[in-house]
Amino acid sequence: MSEHLHNALLIDYLRRELPPEDDALVLAHLEKCPACRREYEIEISLSESLRTAAAREELEFPSMIAARVWEEIRSARPSPLAQFVAFFRPAVAVPLVAAAAVAAFFFAMPLTGHESSPKINAAYYLEAHAALQAQNPLDERGPAAVQLIEVAAQDTSAPTELADDVNVGLAAPSAFDAVR
Amino acid sequence: MGQPTPEQTAFLERAMGQYGKATYNFAYRLTGNESDARDLTQEAFIRVFKAWRSFQPGTSFLSWIYRILTNLYRDELRRRKGRFQEELPEDNAPQEFAGQRPMAVTPIEDYVERQLSEPLSRALAQLSAEQRQVVVLADIEEYSYQEIAEIMGCSIGTVRSRLHRARALLRRLVERAQKPTS
Ligand SMILES: [Zn+2]
């Protein structure tokens, strides 16, 4: 290494990002070259100045941010699509099951001639449906609703939905073990 | 968003209590003004709240929220400018005139408002958004290149070259600012 060191190399050295062999070469050069040492000291002082300036300007966490975050969370309602799906989940699923049961009944016994039983079944399902509607997740005040939402939060749809929303690499921090 | 669970609420409470200040300062250094820093920090914590289950215990929360914040900042710059600094060649001439300003709508007032009068802070504000991010993460937050690459979603090589250019530009700007103008 007869040439002077490039600043890029000095910066990597300063950041301790060089592989050991390069690190040793830079160290050896700095020990015998005042010009590069001077340059390296300027790089060090730039880093120190940045840290000093940052420390001097350190701001407190404004309490209004926390207040606004909580406010936003409290005022947030499910999206219209989520509301639609939540509303129709019991309303559609239950009658569908009922209809399927009725269809299966007729398909399985086309010749028996009994017509009253399926209607009773359907009525039963509709009643069940009505009971479910009373626990509609849209009614956020009811304890039943809270339970439903808690269960919903535990199913896999919640994180998936959020992943798009958040637009972060969810596995990203895996390389960092220390909690800084 | 649905009704928060107690665990989710506790997670956010702890996150803001423990990391609110660091996150806010990071946002302030990226944006160069308090108003944008507040908005960014607020949005970042809302994202944290929504995605709290995806946080992996044992990993760095700060790295996670810095990453969220960096993405939000990039999106916001795109939204405001219609394009992003990255699309410009990175090593074009000093960017103090052509480059991305911090995202303050009224930067001048913000600089007067804050103590950014100091040459170095002013020079930092004149870097491109990405150059400023990499300098803040490397020299102020003291992350490794690998960590910065993960936070910024780019390669280590990109981190390295951005940092080299950013620091070279910072030095030029500071030296120029320190020279008597007459
Ligand atoms: Zn030398």
Side-chain angles (χ1 to χ4, degrees), chain A residues 3-5 29 33 36:
Chain A
E3 301 284 306
H4 285 308
L5 302 174
H29 184 97
C33 179
C36 284

Coordinates of all heavy atoms in Angstrom, one line a residue, chain A residues 3-5 29 33 36, ligand 1:
Chain A
E3 N 0.4 4.0 -2.0 CA -0.4 5.2 -2.2 C -1.0 5.6 -0.9 O -1.0 4.8 0.1 CB -1.6 4.9 -3.2 CG -1.2 4.4 -4.5 CD -0.7 5.5 -5.4 OE1 -1.4 6.5 -5.5 OE2 0.4 5.5 -5.9
H4 N -1.5 6.8 -0.8 CA -2.2 7.3 0.4 C -3.6 6.6 0.4 O -4.1 6.1 -0.6 CB -2.4 8.8 0.4 CG -1.1 9.5 0.7 ND1 -0.4 9.2 1.8 CD2 -0.5 10.5 0.1 CE1 0.7 10.0 1.9 NE2 0.6 10.8 0.8
L5 N -4.1 6.5 1.6 CA -5.4 5.8 1.7 C -6.6 6.7 1.2 O -6.6 7.9 1.5 CB -5.6 5.5 3.2 CG -4.6 4.6 3.8 CD1 -4.8 4.4 5.3 CD2 -4.5 3.2 3.2
H29 N -0.5 1.6 7.8 CA -0.3 2.8 7.0 C -0.4 4.1 7.9 O 0.4 5.0 7.8 CB -1.2 2.9 5.8 CG -0.9 4.0 4.9 ND1 -0.2 3.9 3.8 CD2 -1.3 5.3 5.0 CE1 -0.1 5.1 3.2 NE2 -0.8 6.0 3.9
C33 N 2.2 7.2 8.2 CA 1.9 8.3 7.3 C 1.1 9.5 8.0 O -0.1 9.3 8.2 CB 1.1 7.8 6.1 SG 0.7 9.0 4.9
C36 N -2.1 10.8 6.0 CA -3.3 10.0 6.1 C -3.9 10.0 7.6 O -5.1 10.0 7.8 CB -3.0 8.5 5.7 SG -2.9 8.4 3.9
Ligands
ZN1 ZN -0.8 8.0 3.5

